[in-house]
Amino acid sequence: MSELSLKVLAAGSLRAVWQPLMTSFTLQSGIEVDTRFGPAGLLRESIEQGERPDLFASANIAHPQRLKALGLASRVEVFTRNRLCLTARKELLAAQPSWLALLGNRALKVGTSTPLADPSGDYTWQLFDTLERHHAGLGEYLQQSSLKLVGGPASQSVPNGELAAAWLIRGGQCDLFVGYASYARRLRLCKDLAVIDIPENYNIQADYAFAQCYEAANPLSDFLLSTAAQEILFREGFARNL
């Protein structure tokens, strides 16, 4: 890449916020950014197999830390955070307004991202582990019965412009979907869907971190930690990196 252009690999859950972030960065620095999105676990594998981005923005810190341990990244830092939420067909709430009752209803299909390939799936499995500790049998049932619908090597691609939870529920692939809370604001605009917050004592914190692979990406790394970037991330449903 030229000194005025950077190659980035970024977690798919950053797609919506990445455009305003990179627009602001380019206006500030004059540096263009070419970004490819995908499940963070699969992107990390592509780097291990020889792909060489300037920076990798991951939906968890474990993947950047692994790259640093392998000598494939020089700088790793958390730049924002996320949480999980539950999305359901709105009519389901009339009979079962509780998120626990919905997850425990064995007549309903629960959709998730794919663990190991996609951090959203990893965080969801952590949520199920927490549920198992509080409600014996529930977490184990969900791990065995949930449908891994997105984020895997063989998963269907979510159409451009679609929100995964809305697309999957409306298409009948699941009745409920466990996904990132950063999508909640846009999902709440869907009149046929309901977004249910997961209480803090059950929820999982998702630490988003970058792996800087080349010195050329230092301005972008610094920008992601800046007040300007943090405000854009917060506006789009992510947490400020305090």
Side-chain angles (χ1 to χ4, degrees):
M1 307 296 290
S2 75
E3 63 180 4
L4 295 179
S5 180
L6 297 174
K7 178 182 177 180
V8 171
L9 300 183
S13 54
L14 289 166
R15 187 186 297 268
V17 72
W18 206 248
Q19 181 177 354
L21 278 173
M22 294 306 99
T23 297
S24 178
F25 171 69
T26 299
L27 285 173
Q28 170 187 300
S29 67
I31 301 172
E32 299 287 339
V33 179
D34 176 26
T35 305
R36 179 167 71 84
F37 297 96
L42 300 184
L43 294 177
R44 188 212 76 228
E45 288 180 2
S46 74
I47 296 171
E48 290 184 15
Q49 292 164 6
E51 187 165 4
R52 291 293 177 262
D54 294 291
L55 183 134
F56 166 44
S58 173
N60 74 3
I61 193 169
H63 295 310
Q65 286 176 332
R66 176 174 170 82
L67 294 178
K68 187 174 182 181
L70 291 172
L72 297 174
S74 59
R75 179 182 180 185
V76 170
E77 295 196 53
V78 173
F79 66 94
T80 193
R81 293 176 169 84
N82 212 337
R83 294 282 185 179
L84 296 176
C85 69
L86 182 65
T87 304
R89 288 186 285 111
K90 187 169 285 186
E91 64 265 24
L92 294 176
L93 270 66
Q96 295 174 313
S98 161
W99 71 283
L100 280 173
L102 285 168
L103 286 174
N105 185 338
R106 299 197 176 198
L108 301 178
K109 296 179 291 185
V110 178
T112 73
S113 292
T114 304
L116 300 181
D118 187 343
S120 177
D122 298 330
Y123 296 130
T124 300
W125 253 242
Q126 291 177 39
L127 170 66
F128 293 164
D129 286 338
T130 301
L131 286 172
E132 183 65 21
R133 291 195 296 272
H134 288 81
H135 309 277
L138 177 57
E140 183 178 343
Y141 164 73
L142 288 167
Q143 288 181 344
Q144 293 174 353
S145 65
S146 294
L147 305 171
K148 305 173 189 69
L149 298 174
V150 291
S155 298
Q156 286 183 279
S157 297
V158 178
N160 289 337
E162 291 274 8
L163 296 167
W167 180 68
L168 292 167
I169 292 171
R170 288 167 174 167
Q173 295 189 60
C174 62
D175 302 297
L176 317 170
F177 188 80
V178 183
Y180 287 126
S182 55
Y183 293 113
R185 179 177 60 82
R186 287 183 291 154
L187 284 166
R188 286 191 169 103
L189 299 176
C190 302
K191 295 182 179 180
D192 57 329
L193 302 177
V195 179
I196 306 162
D197 294 325
I198 297 173
E200 189 76 16
N201 60 320
Y202 286 91
N203 216 325
I204 306 299
Q205 177 172 286
D207 291 332
Y208 281 55
F210 61 75
Q212 182 179 309
C213 303
Y214 290 103
E215 189 68 25
N218 200 56
L220 179 54
S221 298
D222 291 343
F223 171 76
L224 290 172
L225 299 171
S226 70
T227 300
Q230 294 299 306
E231 289 303 316
I232 294 170
L233 286 157
F234 183 74
R235 187 178 70 219
E236 294 296 325
F238 293 85
R240 292 186 180 91
N241 184 35
L242 301 176

